[in-house]
Amino acid sequence: MYRQMWVHPDDRRLQLVYWQSRTDSHVHPYELTTVTYGTACAPYLATRCLQQLSYDHSASDADTVEEATQLHSGVQSILASAGFELRKWSSNSSEVLSHIPENLKDDRPIVAVDDIQGSVSTLGLLWHPESDAFRFKVPERFSDNPITKRIVVSEMSKLFDPLGILGPVIITAKVFVQQLWKLKLSWDEELPNALCTVWEDYRLGLAALGTFSISRLVKAPGAGDNVQLHGFCDASQNAST
C-alpha cells in the first residue's frame, strides 16, 4: 500500500538511503520516491492519500442497481488512478454483484450468526447482505476460569461496537469495571461472590445480542440530502438512564 504512493519531490531528500557496493568505495545516496514502510509518518500518509482521493472524487450513495454499478466502476477507476485495486466487494444486491469480476468479490468464509447464514465479518462487525442489517457476535466467555478483573476487562473489550449501537450494553460493563477499580482489586484476584454473580448475569444477558439486528439503511431513498440528527445526553452517577 505504502509503495503505491509518491512522495512530493520537495520532500524526497528527507528519505535517503546510502548504498556502497563491495567493489566501489564511493557511497551512493538514493532518494526514496514513495512512502516508506517503517517510518512514523507512513500510516498517516497512506490514510491521508486515500482521504484526499475521496475528497477529490466525492460521490453520493447509490439508491438503485444502476447507480450502484456505476458507483462501483467509478470507485475502481479512482483508486486505480493512484495505483490501488479495491477488492472484497460485497453487496445486498445479487444484480450488482453480477457486474463485479469474481476476483474482486469478497471470498472470505461465510460467518453463521444463530440460524442466519451469509453474514460478512469486517473488523468484528457482522453485516448480513440479504437482509441488509448489522448483527453482533456474542463475545467468547471464559467459563472455566475464575472471574477476575483481567477476565472482565478482556471480555468487555470484545464488545466491538464502532457505530455506538450497543452503548447501553457496554456502559453497564464499564460501570462494573469502575467498581472493581474502586475496590482496588489486583488483576488476577478473584472477585467477591456478589460481584461474580453480577458479572455472570451480565454474561447471560449478552446472549441476546445474537438475535439483535439493526437495518444498515437509516435514510429512505428519496429522502433528500439535508438530514439532521440532534442528540443530547447528560452524565449520571451510574449511567442508568
Side-chain angles (χ1 to χ4, degrees), residues 196-209:
C196 286
T197 301
V198 172
W199 189 250
E200 282 287 2
D201 291 342
Y202 179 78
R203 281 172 164 176
L204 293 174
L206 290 179
L209 293 179

Side-chain angles (χ1 to χ4, degrees), residues 163-212:
L163 301 179
I165 298 173
L166 301 182
V169 177
I170 296 178
I171 195 61
T172 302
K174 291 183 176 180
V175 170
F176 184 81
V177 171
Q178 188 180 48
Q179 295 177 3
L180 302 184
W181 280 105
K182 289 180 179 179
L183 293 175
K184 299 182 179 180
L185 298 173
S186 64
W187 282 103
D188 297 310
E189 179 181 354
E190 187 172 2
L191 271 56
N193 291 334
L195 293 179
C196 286
T197 301
V198 172
W199 189 250
E200 282 287 2
D201 291 342
Y202 179 78
R203 281 172 164 176
L204 293 174
L206 290 179
L209 293 179
T211 62
F212 177 69

Side-chain angles (χ1 to χ4, degrees), residues 38-215:
T39 57
C41 61
Y44 166 78
L45 293 175
T47 304
R48 185 63 180 83
C49 182
L50 290 177
Q51 290 178 339
Q52 190 61 46
L53 283 173
S54 67
Y55 297 152
D56 294 342
H57 305 278
S58 59
S60 59
D61 294 334
D63 294 328
T64 66
V65 171
E66 292 75 14
E67 290 177 354
T69 303
Q70 293 175 3
L71 183 61
H72 160 261
S73 177
V75 171
Q76 286 288 118
S77 299
I78 290 169
L79 291 180
S81 68
F84 301 108
E85 185 175 39
L86 197 59
R87 296 176 178 269
K88 297 185 178 181
W89 282 89
S90 186
S91 173
N92 60 343
S93 170
S94 58
E95 188 174 351
V96 172
L97 287 175
S98 66
H99 293 85
I100 300 176
E102 289 296 329
N103 65 313
L104 300 181
K105 294 181 182 179
D106 192 334
D107 59 354
R108 289 172 292 178
I110 296 300
V111 178
V113 182
D114 288 338
D115 295 330
I116 296 182
Q117 301 290 330
S119 294
V120 177
S121 177
T122 302
L123 297 177
L125 187 66
L126 298 178
W127 173 53
H128 188 246
E130 184 176 348
S131 62
D132 199 10
F134 291 120
R135 300 181 62 85
F136 298 90
K137 186 176 181 180
V138 179
E140 179 184 357
R141 54 181 295 178
F142 301 92
S143 57
D144 297 331
N145 298 328
I147 300 178
T148 64
K149 184 168 68 173
R150 188 185 304 276
I151 293 295
V152 169
V153 173
S154 177
E155 292 182 345
M156 181 185 69
S157 65
K158 292 182 179 180
L159 291 169
F160 187 76
D161 180 35
L163 301 179
I165 298 173
L166 301 182
V169 177
I170 296 178
I171 195 61
T172 302
K174 291 183 176 180
V175 170
F176 184 81
V177 171
Q178 188 180 48
Q179 295 177 3
L180 302 184
W181 280 105
K182 289 180 179 179
L183 293 175
K184 299 182 179 180
L185 298 173
S186 64
W187 282 103
D188 297 310
E189 179 181 354
E190 187 172 2
L191 271 56
N193 291 334
L195 293 179
C196 286
T197 301
V198 172
W199 189 250
E200 282 287 2
D201 291 342
Y202 179 78
R203 281 172 164 176
L204 293 174
L206 290 179
L209 293 179
T211 62
F212 177 69
S213 66
I214 185 168
S215 176

